[in-house]
Amino acid sequence: MREELRQMWEQDDIPAARAFLESWCERAEASGIRMLIKMAKTIRMHRWGIYAWYEHPISTGPLEGTNNKIKTMQRQAYGFRDKEFFMLKIYALHQMKYALIG
């Protein structure tokens, strides 16, 4: 059912998404599996936020990735006292390119 729920984001518009999500929740509740029933309840509570993605398909993924890079850099720089250099490193994050070496 997890793979099937990923199809939610492949729907064309809000009515199709609403029909898909409602159908999924009904089947999850009918399954009798406690965790699926709980997930269906959670999804129904947040369904308006899910539907909003179809009007404004934006994600916080890139921001979360940047935050993760900053936290990693902060752990690696533990004990350094030069905050100005640390801020310059943060500003330079968007210019960094990662490639596999080998």
Side-chain angles (χ1 to χ4, degrees), residues 10-75:
E10 297 170 3
Q11 303 303 310
D12 292 329
D13 53 18
I14 292 175
R18 185 176 292 132
F20 179 87
L21 193 61
E22 189 58 35
S23 170
W24 189 92
C25 288
E26 287 173 1
R27 285 181 286 134
E29 291 169 345
S31 73
I33 301 172
R34 186 172 49 90
M35 292 305 290
L36 282 178
I37 294 169
K38 185 176 179 181
M39 185 173 176
K41 181 179 177 183
T42 301
I43 287 173
R44 281 194 167 133
M45 287 187 335
H46 296 284
R47 67 182 174 259
W48 300 114
I50 294 170
Y51 300 151
W53 183 83
Y54 287 92
E55 291 180 23
H56 307 285
I58 58 175
S59 170
T60 60
L63 177 63
E64 295 296 333
T66 300
N67 285 341
N68 189 37
K69 288 178 186 177
I70 291 171
K71 288 179 185 179
T72 301
M73 192 176 13
Q74 193 173 22
R75 281 192 302 272

Side-chain angles (χ1 to χ4, degrees), residues 74-87:
Q74 193 173 22
R75 281 192 302 272
Q76 292 171 346
Y78 181 78
F80 292 170
R81 295 184 183 189
D82 190 349
K83 290 186 180 184
E84 290 179 32
F85 181 71
F86 184 66
M87 289 302 296

